Amino acid sequence: MTAPAESTAADRRRWARYLVEERAEGAVYRRLAARRSGEEREILQSLADAESRHEQHWLELLGGEPTRLPRAGIRSRLLGWMAGRFGSIFVLALAQSAEARSPYDSEQFATPAMRADEKVHYEVVRGLAARGRRRLSGSFRAAVFGANDGLVSNLALVLGIGATGVAPGFVLFSGIAGLLAGALSMGAGEFVSVRSQRELLAATEANGAADANAADLDIDANELALVYRARGMDQAEALARAQRIVEAAQAGVRRNATGPIGTHAAYDDHEVVGGDWSAAISSFLLFGSGAIVPVLPWIFGLSGTTAIVAALALVGIALLTTGAMVGILSGGPPLRRALRQLLIGFGAAAITYLLGLVFGVGAV
């Protein structure tokens, strides 16, 4: 393909920008592929190959490699840097947002196939990101909840106590006590919660006992189909499956028990819930790491209004950071999630601070 006769200098600059962006995106997928294995590696490499096809389209329009090319955008450079240093879930979550905003929808020189490719790429990246989110969901939920709870609850505690006018040492002692009490409570609560949920899931799983004894069933009159209907299959599918299993069992073919059938889930429910010990440890450590932040000003000898302002600043930065991380991983706008986290945290702290002012007892 050669450049259309009606193309302008602005068109060529735009094509060059598309060229460098396609190269940058392809490099991101190749770097992610190098860090993965199996099916995910193959999928990522295929995405990189598709970006190379798009790159070739713009090269042909430009008539070959330009002597000067613009730099890739900040987002593409950031993704490229992160792809070689961080876990793929963060990069894929950001790439999902980038793929959702294709510039080719309004680009007359992009082919229909390229526009369709971009839509498909978004779904592929979203699917890969969803896999990573499912692997993270159990422990990540506990970690974010623990960190946020530590930040907010201990900030509220030290501000409420500090507003009463007590000595700085008493505020520090209260903050450390709140840290330990909260971290132990969070860890124990998460362990019991996740262990109970996993035990509940285990009680609902199929154990394959019916399949194991299929060879002894009457091939014309048996209730094996009822097992599959109880697990969620429709009547015709359940009857067909029961017939196949009984025939195979009586023919001497060993059948292995299958997992839950009715859900047709693409992943293990236990994987989504997470591990009990990992959730408990994450909650304990993350609550502790969050709860120590508002106490730091008093640890370093500050007191009064100076300590309160410093605690607010430190916790504000931490809340914005955790909120932005949640936004990135969930595929939502990071800034909105960060501000939401900040407003909720400061709102809770403001209430306890006002209560401390109302019930102030003066310096001790």
Side-chain angles (χ1 to χ4, degrees):
M1 181 181 294
T2 58
E6 66 273 16
S7 64
T8 64
D11 290 332
R12 297 183 65 83
R13 287 194 298 270
R14 193 170 65 255
W15 299 342
R17 188 169 66 251
Y18 291 149
L19 173 63
V20 297
E21 289 295 332
E22 294 288 1
R23 285 178 174 173
E25 290 175 11
V28 168
Y29 293 134
R30 279 188 288 273
R31 288 175 185 173
L32 290 177
R35 296 168 63 91
R36 308 302 296 172
S37 60
E39 184 183 39
E40 288 190 15
R41 180 170 186 166
E42 181 181 339
I43 292 171
L44 288 164
Q45 187 58 55
S46 296
L47 287 175
D49 294 341
E51 302 295 356
S52 296
R53 292 196 303 271
H54 297 178
E55 173 189 339
Q56 187 60 36
H57 171 79
W58 301 117
L59 275 175
E60 291 174 358
L61 282 180
L62 289 165
E65 185 73 23
T67 55
R68 295 183 61 184
L69 284 172
R71 294 187 68 188
I74 294 176
R75 179 188 291 269
S76 297
R77 296 202 303 272
L78 177 63
L79 284 174
W81 181 80
M82 293 179 65
R85 293 167 177 82
F86 297 101
S88 60
I89 175 58
F90 290 98
V91 184
L92 287 171
L94 288 171
Q96 176 184 335
S97 300
E99 293 285 3
R101 295 185 295 273
S102 171
Y104 297 158
D105 290 339
S106 57
E107 175 55 62
Q108 62 174 321
F109 294 105
T111 67
M114 292 170 66
R115 296 189 190 99
D117 281 349
E118 293 298 316
K119 299 296 188 296
V120 172
H121 291 181
Y122 170 75
E123 291 299 329
V124 172
V125 173
R126 188 168 69 90
L128 290 174
R131 288 187 181 188
R133 291 186 185 108
R134 287 195 291 267
R135 287 193 290 262
L136 275 177
S137 58
S139 297
F140 181 72
R141 175 188 59 83
V144 171
F145 179 60
N148 190 68
D149 195 18
L151 286 165
V152 175
S153 64
N154 230 27
L155 176 66
L157 177 65
V158 296
L159 290 190
I161 293 176
T164 64
V166 299
F170 188 80
V171 179
L172 176 59
F173 171 79
S174 300
I176 297 299
L179 183 158
L180 292 174
L184 290 170
S185 176
M186 284 288 295
E190 277 296 323
F191 179 86
V192 172
S193 173
V194 175
R195 173 62 66 88
S196 299
Q197 193 169 357
R198 291 177 67 86
E199 290 171 349
L200 181 63
L201 287 172
T204 65
E205 289 182 348
N207 60 17
D211 289 359
N213 292 277
D216 298 325
L217 294 174
D218 184 330
I219 196 167
D220 296 317
N222 64 75
E223 290 76 41
L224 185 59
L226 298 180
V227 174
Y228 302 120
R229 291 178 65 186
R231 296 181 192 175
M233 280 188 177
D234 61 47
Q235 183 175 4
E237 187 180 2
L239 287 170
R241 181 178 178 84
Q243 185 75 13
R244 289 197 305 270
I245 287 178
V246 173
E247 288 176 353
Q250 292 187 352
V253 178
R254 179 180 178 82
R255 305 294 300 196
N256 290 323
T258 59
I261 297 170
T263 61
H264 301 286
Y267 52 89
D268 185 1
D269 286 335
H270 288 262
E271 185 179 350
V272 176
V273 174
D276 41 26
W277 279 108
S278 64
I281 293 172
S282 295
S283 293
F284 179 89
L285 294 178
L286 268 296
F287 184 97
S289 63
I292 194 66
V293 173
V295 186
L296 289 175
W298 284 271
I299 290 178
F300 287 100
L302 299 180
S303 62
T305 303
T306 303
I308 290 174
V309 171
L312 286 170
L314 292 172
V315 172
I317 293 171
L319 287 172
L320 288 171
T321 302
T322 56
M325 287 179 60
V326 171
I328 290 172
L329 289 175
S330 66
L335 180 59
R336 186 181 303 172
R337 299 292 193 276
L339 292 176
R340 181 183 66 183
Q341 204 97 324
L342 181 68
L343 290 175
I344 293 173
F346 276 11
I351 293 172
T352 56
Y353 182 74
L354 291 175
L355 290 174
L357 291 177
V358 171
F359 297 102
V361 297
V364 177

